[in-house]
Amino acid sequence: MERVPILKMGDTLILTLQVELHDEMAFRLQEDILKKIYETRARGLVIDVSAVNLVDSFMGRMISDTAVMARTMGVESVLVGVQPDIAITLQEMGLELKGVHTALNLEKGLELLQNMGEVGHEGG
Amino acid sequence: MKEVKETSIKSSEDVILARQVAREMAKKLGFGLADQTRITTAVSELSRNIYLYAGTGRVVIKAVSGDSGKGMEIVAEDNGPGIPDIEMVMQDGYSTSKGLGQGLPGTKRLVDEFEIKSKVGAGTIVTIKKWLR
Amino acid sequence: MAKKEVSNISGVLVKKEKEILDAWIKAQADLPAFQKGLITAKQLEEESSRFLKLLVKAVAGGNLEDITAPEYDEINKSLADLSTSRASIGFSPSETTNFILSLRQIFIRILQKEFDDRLDTLVNAGLVFADLLDKLAIVTFEAYVKGREEVIREQQKSMLELSTPVIQVWDEILILPLIGSVDSARAKQIMESLLESIVTTKSSMVIIDITGVPAVDTEVASRLLRTMQAARLMGAESILTGLSPQISQTIVHLGVDLSGFVTRASLRDGLELAFRKLKLKVTKAEG
């Protein structure tokens, strides 16, 4: 089965969704991400959906669940690249994607994780 | 325009196929990007419901015209177990499988017309319409 | 209806087509619609001649009553197109229906000449034909109304676009000054243009100013909240400003819940907050 590559940059994992994921692939991906977090001791996760033309309730739920799961492992997640039409659809469907931070693009997503990291250090 | 496209739903790959058919027709009919995405997302929800709850079924997508002008109609049909309490599944947050709570009520908000008929033991038919405006 | 009248009418129409056309064009040219110069003489000639040809064709089979029959498809469609286009170039309803109604007078005059010795044939044929044209006039009018509705819809759309400017005031900061009521069509427009602007300007802060919104009720608040939620999904934070003492009072009295919003009294305060969130500082130049 096709797999979606997960890149590592510093202590951040970057996942760029490009192909249309069917449900089994999405479940597999979720497992892969969590395994990779565990193996690499990453501190942040960026999920880039700028190349995706649709996020339905299943995908939305998947993203939100993955973020919550990652958080239990000490990793904050940022969803980036949500296009206007997808934002409108998600909002109308009532999918707020709780537990996920958002940023306009990859660059801003990395910046956001960076800032959160600093705040975290000050606090601890 | 007398265009009718039928996709039979048997697996989660077919959900993607139905989506592509819907997106293509929405684009061809002249729907804007936001509406294209609304329609495609609605088709995704309905076809996934078929595959999750009934196993197999079909999605028929066609161009229609009516009092409100041109539009698209999507009929998602299965011979699955049916829905005992439609009112309940149409409530926000309700879900019976894998936590897909927003499925039907969310779909309803994406389209202009939404109709659901279901008979326990016989199957479910959901018909949705979106008008060009 | 007696067969004789039908064949009489069809016969006269075919025989006198050229004469009818000339007189009809002349009659139309005297009407105010043409005097206003909305269409050219050439257009008028072409349209009239096309219509008359189609009419001759339609009545050829002897049906002068049922305009829903297939032989009338072509003429109905052509008439509808004509009315729709006239509606869009500014013809009034009466000017548009006059296209058909003016033909009635012409034809009856021709019939008079043809049958001046047979009064009953004249009366019957006149009635049958007048009735047919009335039906076609209704087709014209319905198409006209539809055409106008289309024009109105287009205008409403462009007005909506005009009335919701999204302004980039600083790097990453957008302001959406709302003036007038926020109905559901406008809310949709606001949402779409705001989200587009977030992408094009790469903004991360959105200030929605409601100083100019006369009534903020629960419905308006929830529309604004939905817009802000969608903006958040794209990574932009929103600040609602323009909560004047009066608006605040109304909102609380109405029981509108604004707890999901970051709000400020004035646009100025909102802008200051946006600067602070982006770690920007406005200072007076030295000297």
Side-chain angles (χ1 to χ4, degrees):
Chain A
M1 199 191 289
E2 234 182 311
R3 282 197 135 114
V4 180
I6 304 165
L7 303 178
K8 187 165 181 290
M9 218 174 97
D11 53 5
T12 304
L13 295 177
I14 301 169
L15 176 72
T16 308
L17 295 178
Q18 267 159 340
V19 289
E20 289 220 57
L21 293 181
H22 60 72
D23 301 7
E24 289 80 15
M25 268 174 93
F27 279 121
R28 173 82 74 92
L29 184 58
Q30 186 177 63
E31 265 171 43
D32 285 356
I33 294 168
L34 297 176
K35 217 188 282 170
K36 193 112 179 180
I37 289 174
Y38 188 71
E39 283 165 6
T40 62
R41 309 175 74 186
R43 301 297 312 267
L45 169 68
V46 179
I47 303 171
D48 184 358
V49 292
S50 56
V52 165
N53 64 15
L54 179 145
V55 177
D56 60 7
S57 67
F58 175 80
M59 273 297 290
R61 181 61 185 245
M62 196 59 119
I63 290 169
S64 172
D65 283 354
T66 308
V68 173
M69 292 168 188
R71 181 170 287 160
T72 63
M73 300 169 76
V75 170
E76 288 296 321
S77 306
V78 186
L79 179 68
V80 307
V82 175
Q83 298 304 301
D85 55 317
I86 292 178
I88 291 170
T89 308
L90 286 172
Q91 194 287 318
E92 285 175 357
M93 296 245 293
L95 296 163
E96 284 176 59
L97 305 189
K98 289 199 172 102
V100 196
H101 303 281
T102 51
L104 190 65
N105 50 32
L106 182 60
E107 191 191 338
K108 287 200 171 140
L110 290 171
E111 209 178 284
L112 181 66
L113 282 175
Q114 186 77 32
N115 291 341
M116 281 193 289
E118 280 162 20
V119 174
H121 284 306
E122 279 165 24
Chain B
M1 204 179 310
K2 278 188 194 126
E3 204 162 354
V4 183
K5 294 255 164 91
E6 183 176 328
T7 312
S8 65
I9 306 290
K10 289 187 288 290
S11 69
S12 64
E13 278 98 335
D14 295 331
V15 174
I16 295 179
L17 200 67
R19 278 190 334 218
Q20 283 163 350
V21 171
R23 167 85 65 176
E24 213 172 284
M25 193 178 294
K27 205 183 275 181
K28 205 155 111 195
L29 288 174
F31 281 101
L33 185 59
D35 276 344
Q36 284 174 29
T37 305
R38 286 187 181 101
I39 293 165
T40 315
T41 308
V43 168
S44 186
E45 300 293 336
L46 297 181
S47 32
R48 177 173 289 102
N49 279 351
I50 292 178
Y51 137 78
L52 282 181
Y53 300 111
T56 60
R58 61 197 190 120
V59 173
V60 180
I61 300 171
K62 64 177 172 193
V64 289
S65 52
D67 291 342
S68 338
K70 276 202 299 179
M72 236 170 114
E73 182 192 86
I74 294 123
V75 181
E77 198 178 351
D78 68 57
N79 304 315
I83 302 167
D85 188 346
I86 289 181
E87 215 171 290
M88 190 159 73
V89 300
M90 289 310 294
Q91 274 167 22
D92 269 320
Y94 175 79
S95 165
T96 56
S97 157
K98 301 184 188 170
L100 307 174
Q102 306 296 340
L104 285 175
T107 305
K108 188 178 178 180
R109 282 193 292 268
L110 295 178
V111 295
D112 297 323
E113 289 174 37
F114 181 101
E115 190 193 55
I116 179 165
K117 283 189 201 141
S118 190
K119 204 170 161 200
V120 174
T124 305
I125 302 178
V126 182
T127 307
I128 56 174
K129 285 188 189 130
K130 186 91 188 164
W131 299 109
L132 255 176
R133 54 193 85 197
Chain C
M1 173 172 55
K3 276 269 179 297
K4 211 174 66 190
E5 271 81 46
V6 173
S7 62
N8 277 337
I9 296 171
S10 313
V12 173
L13 255 178
V14 175
K15 197 168 70 180
K16 301 277 177 181
E17 188 181 334
K18 179 80 181 79
E19 192 182 332
I20 295 172
L21 180 63
D22 291 343
W24 187 28
I25 291 172
K26 198 170 162 295
Q28 289 184 82
D30 289 336
L31 291 171
F34 184 72
Q35 302 289 333
K36 279 196 283 190
L38 293 170
I39 53 169
T40 64
K42 191 159 169 287
Q43 254 176 306
L44 179 65
E45 267 180 56
E46 280 172 7
E47 284 167 358
S48 305
S49 130
R50 190 178 333 126
F51 176 80
L52 212 54
K53 276 205 183 70
L54 289 173
L55 184 63
V56 168
K57 215 166 109 190
V59 300
N63 171 13
L64 277 92
E65 265 185 335
D66 181 14
I67 64 160
T68 59
E71 59 261 39
Y72 279 87
D73 283 356
E74 219 180 327
I75 195 164
N76 282 331
K77 175 155 193 321
S78 143
L79 207 49
D81 290 347
L82 183 80
S83 311
T84 313
S85 85
R86 290 194 167 185
S88 68
I89 58 175
F91 271 66
S92 73
S94 63
E95 284 162 357
T96 307
T97 22
N98 263 339
F99 178 71
I100 295 296
L101 297 180
S102 59
L103 179 61
R104 183 162 67 178
Q105 292 169 5
I106 306 292
F107 193 72
I108 287 174
R109 241 178 277 146
I110 302 259
L111 283 177
Q112 273 169 353
K113 268 193 265 169
E114 283 290 307
F115 304 117
D116 59 350
D117 50 346
R118 281 171 287 163
L119 191 61
D120 55 336
T121 311
L122 171 64
V123 170
N124 282 332
L127 282 176
V128 169
F129 191 70
D131 196 36
L132 173 65
L133 283 188
D134 282 348
K135 283 175 188 158
L136 291 173
I138 292 171
V139 172
T140 315
F141 196 70
E142 275 175 358
Y144 177 86
V145 172
K146 272 202 189 130
R148 287 304 297 173
E149 278 169 0
E150 189 59 39
V151 171
I152 293 167
R153 251 201 308 277
E154 282 303 311
Q155 284 172 345
Q156 276 175 340
K157 220 168 116 190
S158 48
M159 259 169 64
L160 276 179
E161 275 155 24
L162 279 177
S163 63
T164 44
V166 182
I167 304 156
Q168 182 178 26
V169 283
W170 202 259
D171 291 350
E172 297 195 30
I173 305 176
L174 294 177
I175 290 183
L176 186 72
L178 292 181
I179 294 164
S181 59
V182 182
D183 59 16
S184 86
R186 186 151 181 238
K188 217 174 135 186
Q189 167 69 31
I190 290 169
M191 168 112 83
E192 290 186 14
S193 59
L194 178 67
L195 300 190
E196 281 302 332
S197 304
I198 289 174
V199 175
T200 52
T201 61
K202 294 191 172 32
S203 293
S204 56
M205 297 294 312
V206 173
I207 300 171
I208 302 177
D209 185 70
I210 56 167
T211 311
V213 179
V216 180
D217 54 16
T218 313
E219 195 50 47
V220 170
S222 89
R223 283 175 187 141
L224 294 175
L225 187 61
R226 289 200 284 268
T227 305
M228 293 163 102
Q229 280 168 347
R232 191 199 82 87
L233 283 166
M234 294 183 59
E237 214 178 308
S238 306
I239 302 168
L240 190 68
T241 69
L243 279 295
S244 65
Q246 221 177 1
I247 292 184
S248 306
Q249 276 177 324
T250 330
I251 283 175
V252 173
H253 285 150
L254 282 174
V256 177
D257 181 15
L258 287 186
S259 58
F261 297 85
V262 176
T263 55
R264 285 295 181 269
S266 67
L267 181 56
R268 187 196 164 282
D269 294 345
L271 191 57
E272 198 182 356
L273 177 64
F275 278 143
R276 209 166 56 235
K277 287 196 176 220
L278 290 173
K279 299 190 180 115
L280 295 168
K281 215 174 185 175
V282 180
T283 51
K284 203 168 188 171
E286 296 283 326

